[in-house]
Tab-separated table of all heavy atoms in Angstrom:
chain	number	residue	atom	x	y	z
S	1	PHE	N	0.912	-1.175	0.003
S	1	PHE	CA	-0.008	-0.012	0.011
S	1	PHE	C	0.895	1.227	-0.005
S	1	PHE	O	1.922	1.305	0.702
S	1	PHE	CB	-0.890	0.010	1.215
S	1	PHE	CG	-1.860	-1.161	1.360
S	1	PHE	CD1	-1.467	-2.284	2.108
S	1	PHE	CD2	-3.068	-1.227	0.691
S	1	PHE	CE1	-2.159	-3.402	2.200
S	1	PHE	CE2	-3.847	-2.287	0.807
S	1	PHE	CZ	-3.431	-3.368	1.570
S	2	ASP	N	0.534	2.224	-0.846
S	2	ASP	CA	1.293	3.470	-0.840
S	2	ASP	C	0.386	4.601	-1.171
S	2	ASP	O	-0.487	4.547	-2.000
S	2	ASP	CB	2.387	3.343	-1.988
S	2	ASP	CG	3.336	4.528	-1.977
S	2	ASP	OD1	3.465	5.148	-0.913
S	2	ASP	OD2	3.936	4.723	-2.984
S	3	ASN	N	0.583	5.684	-0.385
S	3	ASN	CA	-0.230	6.954	-0.569
S	3	ASN	C	0.724	8.091	-0.535
S	3	ASN	O	1.523	8.298	0.357
S	3	ASN	CB	-1.300	7.079	0.514
S	3	ASN	CG	-2.062	8.323	0.399
S	3	ASN	OD1	-1.641	9.411	0.978
S	3	ASN	ND2	-3.138	8.326	-0.400
S	4	ARG	N	0.635	8.938	-1.609
S	4	ARG	CA	1.545	10.117	-1.677
S	4	ARG	C	0.661	11.332	-2.033
S	4	ARG	O	-0.114	11.318	-2.966
S	4	ARG	CB	2.618	9.879	-2.761
S	4	ARG	CG	3.563	8.773	-2.432
S	4	ARG	CD	4.599	8.597	-3.425
S	4	ARG	NE	5.471	7.449	-3.233
S	4	ARG	CZ	6.514	7.097	-4.004
S	4	ARG	NH1	6.786	7.805	-5.052
S	4	ARG	NH2	7.224	5.967	-3.686
S	5	ASP	N	0.886	12.366	-1.371
S	5	ASP	CA	0.290	13.692	-1.627
S	5	ASP	C	1.366	14.728	-1.929
S	5	ASP	O	2.395	14.712	-1.196
S	5	ASP	CB	-0.591	14.172	-0.440
S	5	ASP	CG	-1.741	13.234	-0.180
S	5	ASP	OD1	-2.432	12.807	-1.130
S	5	ASP	OD2	-1.970	12.886	1.030
S	6	GLY	N	1.152	15.492	-2.894
S	6	GLY	CA	2.110	16.475	-3.292
S	6	GLY	C	1.475	17.528	-4.141
S	6	GLY	O	0.272	17.528	-4.473
S	7	SER	N	2.358	18.449	-4.600
S	7	SER	CA	1.859	19.525	-5.450
S	7	SER	C	3.040	20.102	-6.188
S	7	SER	O	4.133	20.065	-5.750
S	7	SER	CB	1.174	20.549	-4.695
S	7	SER	OG	1.975	21.277	-3.752
S	8	SER	N	2.744	20.699	-7.315
S	8	SER	CA	3.765	21.418	-8.135
S	8	SER	C	3.138	22.832	-8.368
S	8	SER	O	2.962	23.256	-9.509
S	8	SER	CB	4.149	20.759	-9.377
S	8	SER	OG	2.956	20.505	-10.204
S	9	THR	N	2.749	23.552	-7.226
S	9	THR	CA	1.977	24.765	-7.419
S	9	THR	C	2.922	25.879	-7.818
S	9	THR	O	4.145	25.866	-7.552
S	9	THR	CB	1.355	25.133	-6.072
S	9	THR	OG1	2.362	25.233	-5.140
S	9	THR	CG2	0.360	24.032	-5.636
S	10	ASN	N	2.337	26.846	-8.505
S	10	ASN	CA	3.085	28.117	-8.832
S	10	ASN	C	2.010	29.283	-8.577
S	10	ASN	O	0.894	28.973	-8.307
S	10	ASN	CB	3.672	28.200	-10.141
S	10	ASN	CG	2.631	27.804	-11.244
S	10	ASN	OD1	1.576	28.491	-11.321
S	10	ASN	ND2	2.954	26.879	-12.083
S	11	THR	N	2.446	30.505	-8.777
S	11	THR	CA	1.553	31.646	-8.507
S	11	THR	C	0.414	31.754	-9.511
S	11	THR	O	-0.616	32.396	-9.214
S	11	THR	CB	2.387	32.890	-8.505
S	11	THR	OG1	3.002	33.056	-9.803
S	11	THR	CG2	3.433	32.932	-7.357
S	12	LEU	N	0.524	31.082	-10.700
S	12	LEU	CA	-0.467	31.240	-11.678
S	12	LEU	C	-1.409	30.049	-11.711
S	12	LEU	O	-2.640	30.172	-12.021
S	12	LEU	CB	0.186	31.375	-13.120
S	12	LEU	CG	1.104	32.584	-13.246
S	12	LEU	CD1	1.765	32.625	-14.651
S	12	LEU	CD2	0.303	33.903	-12.969
S	13	GLU	N	-0.921	28.893	-11.418
S	13	GLU	CA	-1.748	27.650	-11.611
S	13	GLU	C	-1.511	26.632	-10.561
S	13	GLU	O	-0.480	25.890	-10.653
S	13	GLU	CB	-1.522	27.050	-13.042
S	13	GLU	CG	-2.423	25.860	-13.327
S	13	GLU	CD	-2.198	25.317	-14.728
S	13	GLU	OE1	-1.489	25.922	-15.545
S	13	GLU	OE2	-2.680	24.227	-14.983
S	14	PRO	N	-2.375	26.526	-9.610
S	14	PRO	CA	-2.110	25.503	-8.564
S	14	PRO	C	-2.301	24.083	-9.141
S	14	PRO	O	-3.097	23.881	-10.007
S	14	PRO	CB	-3.251	25.794	-7.518
S	14	PRO	CG	-4.306	26.486	-8.241
S	14	PRO	CD	-3.559	27.259	-9.316
S	15	ASN	N	-1.511	23.070	-8.629
S	15	ASN	CA	-1.527	21.790	-9.252
S	15	ASN	C	-1.337	20.640	-8.206
S	15	ASN	O	-0.398	20.021	-8.219
S	15	ASN	CB	-0.423	21.693	-10.290
S	15	ASN	CG	-0.557	20.470	-11.120
S	15	ASN	OD1	-1.596	19.740	-11.080
S	15	ASN	ND2	0.628	20.103	-11.790
S	16	PRO	N	-2.265	20.600	-7.218
S	16	PRO	CA	-2.150	19.572	-6.224
S	16	PRO	C	-2.288	18.170	-6.794
S	16	PRO	O	-3.023	17.941	-7.810
S	16	PRO	CB	-3.206	19.881	-5.240
S	16	PRO	CG	-4.217	20.687	-5.935
S	16	PRO	CD	-3.504	21.428	-7.044
S	17	ARG	N	-1.649	17.174	-6.192
S	17	ARG	CA	-1.648	15.854	-6.766
S	17	ARG	C	-1.671	14.795	-5.628
S	17	ARG	O	-1.072	15.019	-4.602
S	17	ARG	CB	-0.426	15.659	-7.675
S	17	ARG	CG	-0.356	14.208	-8.212
S	17	ARG	CD	0.727	14.095	-9.277
S	17	ARG	NE	0.854	12.794	-9.783
S	17	ARG	CZ	1.501	12.424	-10.901
S	17	ARG	NH1	2.049	13.431	-11.616
S	17	ARG	NH2	1.531	11.274	-11.334
S	18	SER	N	-2.422	13.638	-5.870
S	18	SER	CA	-2.472	12.647	-4.895
S	18	SER	C	-2.363	11.274	-5.644
S	18	SER	O	-3.018	11.091	-6.654
S	18	SER	CB	-3.793	12.679	-4.066
S	18	SER	OG	-3.896	11.600	-3.237
S	19	ASP	N	-1.469	10.425	-5.165
S	19	ASP	CA	-1.271	9.103	-5.747
S	19	ASP	C	-1.546	8.002	-4.673
S	19	ASP	O	-1.043	8.091	-3.548
S	19	ASP	CB	0.179	8.919	-6.223
S	19	ASP	CG	0.581	10.016	-7.277
S	19	ASP	OD1	-0.363	10.563	-7.845
S	19	ASP	OD2	1.776	10.209	-7.564
S	20	ASP	N	-2.353	7.058	-5.150
S	20	ASP	CA	-2.589	5.878	-4.276
S	20	ASP	C	-2.283	4.665	-5.026
S	20	ASP	O	-2.697	4.478	-6.224
S	20	ASP	CB	-4.080	5.837	-3.808
S	20	ASP	CG	-4.430	7.021	-2.800
S	20	ASP	OD1	-3.849	6.946	-1.756
S	20	ASP	OD2	-5.184	7.933	-3.258
S	21	SER	N	-1.766	3.594	-4.399
S	21	SER	CA	-1.491	2.291	-5.126
S	21	SER	C	-1.538	1.156	-4.033
S	21	SER	O	-1.197	1.464	-2.912
S	21	SER	CB	-0.119	2.350	-5.774
S	21	SER	OG	0.910	2.501	-4.790
S	22	ASN	N	-1.986	0.068	-4.528
S	22	ASN	CA	-2.059	-1.127	-3.705
S	22	ASN	C	-1.891	-2.392	-4.555
S	22	ASN	O	-2.259	-2.296	-5.703
S	22	ASN	CB	-3.292	-1.176	-2.845
S	22	ASN	CG	-4.544	-1.278	-3.728
S	22	ASN	OD1	-4.904	-2.398	-4.141
S	22	ASN	ND2	-5.251	-0.244	-3.985
S	23	GLY	N	-1.375	-3.392	-3.967
S	23	GLY	CA	-1.170	-4.589	-4.758
S	23	GLY	C	-1.193	-5.815	-3.836
S	23	GLY	O	-0.874	-5.735	-2.660
S	24	GLN	N	-1.666	-6.982	-4.440
S	24	GLN	CA	-1.630	-8.259	-3.715
S	24	GLN	C	-1.194	-9.342	-4.687
S	24	GLN	O	-1.514	-9.264	-5.837
S	24	GLN	CB	-3.051	-8.588	-3.154
S	24	GLN	CG	-3.785	-7.476	-2.341
S	24	GLN	CD	-4.472	-6.460	-3.208
S	24	GLN	OE1	-5.016	-6.770	-4.235
S	24	GLN	NE2	-4.482	-5.151	-2.819
S	25	SER	N	-0.513	-10.269	-4.116
S	25	SER	CA	-0.059	-11.397	-4.947
S	25	SER	C	0.025	-12.701	-4.036
S	25	SER	O	0.270	-12.635	-2.833
S	25	SER	CB	1.311	-11.101	-5.508
S	25	SER	OG	2.295	-11.025	-4.473
S	26	LEU	N	-0.156	-13.795	-4.659
S	26	LEU	CA	-0.191	-15.076	-3.986
S	26	LEU	C	0.475	-16.113	-4.970
S	26	LEU	O	0.085	-16.209	-6.175
S	26	LEU	CB	-1.591	-15.564	-3.605
S	26	LEU	CG	-1.719	-17.013	-3.163
S	26	LEU	CD1	-0.924	-17.129	-1.802
S	26	LEU	CD2	-3.173	-17.429	-3.005
S	27	ASP	N	1.545	-16.774	-4.549
S	27	ASP	CA	2.129	-17.826	-5.323
S	27	ASP	C	2.232	-19.125	-4.511
S	27	ASP	O	2.648	-19.065	-3.301
S	27	ASP	CB	3.598	-17.410	-5.663
S	27	ASP	CG	3.599	-16.194	-6.564
S	27	ASP	OD1	3.243	-16.387	-7.796
S	27	ASP	OD2	3.995	-15.081	-6.173
S	28	VAL	N	1.863	-20.200	-5.122
S	28	VAL	CA	1.901	-21.457	-4.448
S	28	VAL	C	2.565	-22.519	-5.437
S	28	VAL	O	2.220	-22.580	-6.599
S	28	VAL	CB	0.470	-22.001	-4.070
S	28	VAL	CG1	0.531	-23.378	-3.460
S	28	VAL	CG2	-0.210	-20.992	-3.231
S	29	ARG	N	3.422	-23.259	-4.879
S	29	ARG	CA	4.079	-24.363	-5.641
S	29	ARG	C	4.197	-25.607	-4.761
S	29	ARG	O	4.577	-25.520	-3.650
S	29	ARG	CB	5.390	-23.983	-6.273
S	29	ARG	CG	6.450	-23.604	-5.276
S	29	ARG	CD	7.740	-23.093	-6.115
S	29	ARG	NE	7.493	-21.923	-6.878
S	29	ARG	CZ	8.308	-21.560	-7.845
S	29	ARG	NH1	9.347	-22.334	-8.234
S	29	ARG	NH2	7.968	-20.486	-8.620
S	30	VAL	N	3.846	-26.715	-5.357
S	30	VAL	CA	3.915	-28.037	-4.730
S	30	VAL	C	4.906	-28.941	-5.548
S	30	VAL	O	4.759	-28.990	-6.744
S	30	VAL	CB	2.575	-28.744	-4.582
S	30	VAL	CG1	2.657	-29.982	-3.874
S	30	VAL	CG2	1.603	-27.754	-3.809
S	31	GLN	N	5.781	-29.645	-4.851
S	31	GLN	CA	6.756	-30.500	-5.537
S	31	GLN	C	6.841	-31.839	-4.789
S	31	GLN	O	6.889	-31.923	-3.621
S	31	GLN	CB	8.154	-29.821	-5.519
S	31	GLN	CG	8.182	-28.498	-6.378
S	31	GLN	CD	9.512	-27.806	-6.129
S	31	GLN	OE1	10.061	-27.856	-5.101
S	31	GLN	NE2	9.943	-27.036	-7.166
S	32	TYR	N	6.861	-32.808	-5.619
S	32	TYR	CA	7.108	-34.249	-5.151
S	32	TYR	C	8.626	-34.406	-5.294
S	32	TYR	O	9.233	-34.262	-6.312
S	32	TYR	CB	6.406	-35.227	-5.977
S	32	TYR	CG	6.765	-36.614	-5.660
S	32	TYR	CD1	6.035	-37.321	-4.735
S	32	TYR	CD2	7.723	-37.360	-6.416
S	32	TYR	CE1	6.288	-38.692	-4.488
S	32	TYR	CE2	7.978	-38.652	-6.121
S	32	TYR	CZ	7.333	-39.306	-5.140
S	32	TYR	OH	7.597	-40.606	-4.806
S	33	LEU	N	9.274	-34.776	-4.168
S	33	LEU	CA	10.705	-34.941	-4.041
S	33	LEU	C	11.077	-36.489	-3.955
S	33	LEU	O	10.404	-37.175	-3.112
S	33	LEU	CB	11.350	-34.185	-2.872
S	33	LEU	CG	11.139	-32.715	-2.967
S	33	LEU	CD1	11.765	-32.078	-1.703
S	33	LEU	CD2	11.611	-32.002	-4.101
S	34	TRP	N	12.075	-36.884	-4.681
S	34	TRP	CA	12.523	-38.278	-4.619
S	34	TRP	C	13.970	-38.344	-4.259
S	34	TRP	O	14.797	-37.709	-4.908
S	34	TRP	CB	12.278	-38.929	-5.931
S	34	TRP	CG	12.771	-40.341	-5.985
S	34	TRP	CD1	12.459	-41.314	-5.164
S	34	TRP	CD2	13.684	-40.868	-7.011
S	34	TRP	NE1	13.173	-42.509	-5.562
S	34	TRP	CE2	13.896	-42.201	-6.622
S	34	TRP	CE3	14.239	-40.364	-8.071
S	34	TRP	CZ2	14.677	-43.048	-7.390
S	34	TRP	CZ3	15.131	-41.171	-8.887
S	34	TRP	CH2	15.348	-42.508	-8.511
S	35	TYR	N	14.291	-39.049	-3.208
S	35	TYR	CA	15.746	-39.259	-2.773
S	35	TYR	C	16.117	-40.681	-3.231
S	35	TYR	O	15.739	-41.657	-2.490
S	35	TYR	CB	15.823	-39.094	-1.265
S	35	TYR	CG	15.703	-37.708	-0.822
S	35	TYR	CD1	14.452	-37.102	-0.685
S	35	TYR	CD2	16.876	-36.953	-0.367
S	35	TYR	CE1	14.316	-35.783	-0.252
S	35	TYR	CE2	16.650	-35.691	0.026
S	35	TYR	CZ	15.422	-35.098	0.135
S	35	TYR	OH	15.288	-33.811	0.596
S	36	PRO	N	16.888	-40.923	-4.209
S	36	PRO	CA	17.245	-42.315	-4.683
S	36	PRO	C	18.017	-43.079	-3.655
S	36	PRO	O	18.032	-44.344	-3.625
S	36	PRO	CB	17.933	-42.036	-5.987
S	36	PRO	CG	18.467	-40.666	-5.913
S	36	PRO	CD	17.500	-39.922	-5.118
S	37	SER	N	18.881	-42.417	-2.841
S	37	SER	CA	19.775	-43.048	-1.950
S	37	SER	C	19.815	-42.345	-0.577
S	37	SER	O	20.744	-41.544	-0.298
S	37	SER	CB	21.215	-43.162	-2.491
S	37	SER	OG	22.047	-43.907	-1.644
């Protein structure tokens, strides 16, 4: 999760900005192992 607020304002044109991001991931692996000796 990430949230950022900022601006690049100047005297002629205000330019506030807000960025939000989030991510989720799931990885699963199953392995059959064989020991010969």
Side-chain angles (χ1 to χ4, degrees):
F1 301 93
D2 188 22
N3 177 267
R4 298 181 184 180
D5 296 316
S7 63
S8 56
T9 59
N10 55 53
T11 57
L12 299 178
E13 184 177 349
N15 189 18
R17 177 170 179 164
S18 175
D19 300 343
D20 292 292
S21 64
N22 63 81
Q24 308 84 38
S25 66
L26 172 66
D27 294 290
V28 179
R29 61 182 64 199
V30 179
Q31 293 169 334
Y32 174 86
L33 302 180
W34 176 55
Y35 290 77
S37 182

